[in-house]
Amino acid sequence: MKLTIKDLSLSYPQRKILEHVSFSVKTGEFVTLLGTSGSGKSTILNLLTGITQKQTGTIKVDHEEIQGLSLHFAYMPQEDLLLEWETVFDNVCLYQRIHHQPIDAAFVMKQLALFGLKGYEKAYPNELSGGMRQRVAFLRTVLCDADILLLDEPFGALDVITRGDMQDWLHEIRGKLNKTIILVTHDIDEAIYLSDRILILGGKPASIQKEFHLTEQVRSREWLYANGALRNDIYHELKGETNAD
Ligand SMILES: Nc1ncnc2c1ncn2[C@@H]1O[C@H](COP(=O)(O)OP(=O)(O)OP(=O)(O)O)[C@@H](O)[C@H]1O
């Protein structure tokens, strides 16, 4: 399903936050919205989920115009928001339980293994490490019926090593998820490592300043560390210095 966002603008009484934000995301694509703090990344996700009401512009999934809440999107916030009194298994099936849908236990167990949680299905969240908790929250998001996942700084609260491990893991399994993903981050390396495409959000009010298409070669950590040029280009684009000598 193709997501098309056209001319989204949003103002709060004191300030215009977004102006003419337009971009599209293809089925199965992994797109990262990269921007500095306060640039409006979360605001865009909130508009997609319907948490924030749209003022102008259109959001379409294929030819369907989205107004307010939509089942096309599943949102994963920075905090894992796990239910501490429920097991890992029950946490990841929360969506099905709320909607009284049947749970395919064998499928869930398979997914738990893919998410590095095999053997932890009966554990409670307080028995897990920070990285594992994030993987539980991520799996809960993946198991929602949505085709487009919105990930808002999912690794933001983790230490640098755990964050790196999570990025390696997501890098490895992303092809198996069969989902379209929009990631929000201010981490340039994370964006380069994981994405098919990076959209730079910047300016006041913010709009999409530039996009970077990434090739297969770019997506290895070795490449990332050995080649600074792309990182440098993105850094300066984020800083808004591309036209400065
Ligand atoms: N309810 C609100 N009223 C007024 N201003 C708001 C409101 N919500 C957000 N903002 C402002 O909108 C701007 C964009 O916020 P947003 O959270 O989308 O940024 P962000 O890029 O996700 O930042 P971060 O990376 O720090 O999470 C910020 O300047 C924020 O202060």
Side-chain angles (χ1 to χ4, degrees), residues 2-45:
K2 186 180 175 190
L3 171 68
T4 311
I5 291 166
K6 203 157 186 290
D7 280 334
L8 272 192
S9 299
L10 186 96
S11 299
Y12 288 112
Q14 308 300 328
R15 211 182 116 205
K16 192 165 203 176
I17 308 292
L18 302 175
E19 187 164 60
H20 299 305
V21 171
S22 300
F23 62 91
S24 58
V25 181
K26 288 184 287 192
T27 308
E29 203 181 9
F30 193 129
V31 169
T32 295
L33 270 176
L34 186 64
T36 52
S37 252
S39 56
K41 306 180 296 294
S42 302
T43 304
I44 293 176
L45 295 194

Side-chain angles (χ1 to χ4, degrees), residues 54-75:
K54 194 160 61 66
Q55 292 169 345
T56 58
T58 52
I59 299 169
K60 279 188 179 172
V61 175
D62 285 341
H63 296 292
E64 178 192 347
E65 183 159 353
I66 307 297
Q67 304 277 7
L69 296 174
S70 156
L71 292 178
H72 287 296
F73 302 106
Y75 175 69

